[in-house]
Amino acid sequence: MQGVANPVPRIRHPDWLARRVSTAANAHKQRHITDAFRKVPREEYLQKAAEADARERDIEDLGGPGGSSAMSGPRAAVCRRGRRGAAAAAAEPSTVDGVAARIAELGPAPDPSEAYGPWLAHAKQLWRLRRRLRELRERAVERGEAPPDGPAGAEGAAGLGQFFGRTQTTLGRGTWHIVQWAETDTPGELRAWAWVGGQMHSVRVSVPRTLYVASAAARRELAGSAHFAEAPGMVLPRAMPQALCLYRCTMPEAEYAAHRSSWGSFFAHPSIAGVYETEVTPLDRALIQLGATAWLGPAARRGAVGPVVSLGDLDSRRSAPAAAARSAAAPGWGARDMAYVLLYHMGAADGRQFFALVQPAGGRAQIWVVSPGQQAAQLQLPSVERLYRESRAAAVEAGGAADQAFEYPDALEVSSQAYSTAQAAQRAVNAALARCADERRGPTVLVWHSAAPMKRLRARLRAMG
C-alpha cells in the first residue's frame, strides 16, 4: 500500500491486498471529473473573467480609436507570392527568340556534386523557360499556325527529338482538318490524312464495330457483358416501338470479322427484335461521327499521341460544341495551301490502257499508252499541248478560270510514250511517281481517277503507297 514491493516474493499477497495494489497501480483506470477540475472561490473566478473581457474586443470596435493595432494577439500573415508570380510571368519573353536568348544567357549548368544550390537555381530557370516555350507552341497551334522551332537546349536533344516534340504538340493541341480517310490492310483501322498547324500529318485511327441490338425483354447476360451497354436515347428506324430494350454493342473490327457466323446465330435468336447498323463500315462510321474536322479530347490530350488513335479519343463539332467554337476562330486550310499531282487511268476490254500524270506546279505532264496490237512507232497521239492551251483559253474567256480552287498553268510540257504491254507501262508510271515523291516541296496531294478499284491500282502501282 505504501508502494513498497513484496519483501517476501515466495509468499503472495492475500486476494484483497493484491486487488487493491493492482487497482492503485493501473494506469488505464477511469478518472474522476474531480481530477480535471477544481473548485475555486467566487472572487477569483470573477477576477479572471474580467481580465479575459478586457483582452477581447468586438469586431465593431475595429474602426474605433486604436483600430486594429490596439487588438492583442497574433496577426494573420499576408502571402504575396501570387503578385510576385504575376510580375515574373509578365517579365518572361513573349517570343521563341526571346526564350532562346534567355537560355543562352543562363550558360552551362554547374556541377551538382560540387555546388547543388547553384545547380538547382539554374535548373529551375531552365524549367520555367521550357514551360514558356511549350506555351508559345500551343498558342501558335491553337491559332492554326505551324509551331515555331525552339533552341536546341530548350527541349533536350536537338534534331529528331525536337521534330517529334513539335509533332506531338501539333497533333495534341491543333484542329485536325481531315483531307482524306483511307482504308488500310488492317481491319477496323483507317489512315487519316489531316492538315494540322500548316502541315500534313498521317495518323492511324482505330474504328470499332458498333451495332445496336433491340431485345423484347431485358437480358441480364447482355447488361453484364463487356461488349454491350444500354442505349436508351437512340431512336429506332421504321417506327419500331420504344418499349424495346436497346443495347449498344461495341467490339474490335477484327473480332467481329473472325466470329461473324457466331454473331449471326446470336442475332437470329427469337428474343432479338432487330439489329441495326450492321452494314456500316469503319469508313462510314468515321465520316458519320467525325466528318472532316476533329481534335483530340481532353483525356487523350494529357498523354502522348500514340501510333494508333482510337475513334473515341477524338471529339467533333457535334460532341464538343464549346471546343468547336474555339477551333472555328483558328484559320483552316484551303485548296491552294497544298500542291497537287493528278494520276488518270482508263482501260478498255481489249487490253488498251491510258495513263496520265500531271504536275500543275511544275507545268509538266506525262502520258503512257498501252496498245497490244500496235507497234509503238506506229502509234500517233494528238497534240495534247495544243488541246490544253485551247481549253485553258476558252475557260479564261468564259470567266470561270478565276473562280477555280486550283491553279492551272498557262501551258503544259507533255511527253508521251507507247508500250505494247501493261506491265512495262506500269513500271514507267511507278518510276515517275517515285520521282514526284523525291521532288515534292511541302504538302502534296495525289489525286487519282480510275475505274479500277483502289486496292488493285495500288497493288500494281506500288509508288502510290
Side-chain angles (χ1 to χ4, degrees), residues 155-166:
E155 293 293 341
L160 191 61
Q162 280 193 355
F163 170 76
F164 283 112
R166 291 194 303 269

Side-chain angles (χ1 to χ4, degrees), residues 137-409:
R137 287 178 176 175
E138 292 174 0
R139 292 177 183 177
V141 171
E142 291 176 356
R143 293 193 301 267
E145 303 173 0
D149 295 335
E155 293 293 341
L160 191 61
Q162 280 193 355
F163 170 76
F164 283 112
R166 291 194 303 269
T167 303
Q168 292 287 337
T169 302
T170 303
L171 294 178
R173 296 289 179 177
T175 301
W176 297 15
H177 300 279
I178 301 175
V179 181
Q180 181 194 18
W181 289 102
E183 296 181 345
T184 62
D185 297 335
T186 305
E189 186 175 298
L190 302 177
R191 184 178 298 276
W193 292 94
W195 178 270
V196 188
Q199 298 177 354
M200 186 72 73
H201 295 269
S202 174
V203 184
R204 289 183 295 170
V205 181
S206 175
V207 182
R209 170 69 67 163
T210 303
L211 308 174
Y212 292 92
V213 180
S215 177
R219 305 188 61 176
R220 288 179 297 177
E221 62 271 17
L222 295 185
S225 175
H227 297 314
F228 287 87
E230 295 185 2
M234 298 295 296
V235 179
L236 299 179
R238 295 188 293 273
M240 291 295 293
Q242 297 297 326
L244 297 176
C245 299
L246 188 62
Y247 299 92
R248 180 189 293 108
C249 177
T250 305
M251 72 190 78
E253 182 68 22
E255 181 179 351
Y256 178 76
H259 304 86
R260 186 182 295 269
S261 59
S262 301
W263 285 108
S265 302
F266 169 73
F267 295 150
H269 195 272
S271 62
I272 302 299
V275 183
Y276 304 94
E277 298 189 4
T278 57
E279 300 300 328
V280 177
T281 62
L283 179 59
D284 297 334
R285 180 69 60 187
L287 291 174
I288 294 172
Q289 185 167 337
L290 298 180
T293 305
W295 50 86
L296 280 180
R301 192 179 298 178
R302 297 188 185 98
V305 181
V308 181
V309 178
S310 177
L311 187 66
D313 296 336
L314 298 175
D315 290 339
S316 63
R317 298 183 184 273
R318 182 184 305 175
S319 59
R326 293 193 301 268
S327 66
W333 68 281
R336 295 179 181 269
D337 296 335
M338 293 177 282
Y340 297 88
V341 177
L342 173 63
L343 177 61
Y344 180 84
H345 171 248
M346 182 181 62
D350 56 359
R352 293 179 299 171
Q353 297 187 39
F354 179 87
F355 294 91
L357 184 65
V358 184
Q359 299 174 261
R364 302 192 307 270
Q366 302 178 61
I367 296 176
W368 300 271
V369 180
V370 179
S371 182
Q374 192 174 6
Q375 297 294 331
Q378 300 175 357
L379 186 63
Q380 295 184 1
L381 298 176
S383 177
V384 181
E385 298 177 356
R386 178 179 56 83
L387 294 176
Y388 177 79
R389 287 195 303 269
E390 294 176 356
S391 301
R392 171 69 175 167
V396 171
E397 292 179 0
D403 299 334
Q404 298 292 337
F406 310 99
E407 295 183 1
Y408 293 89

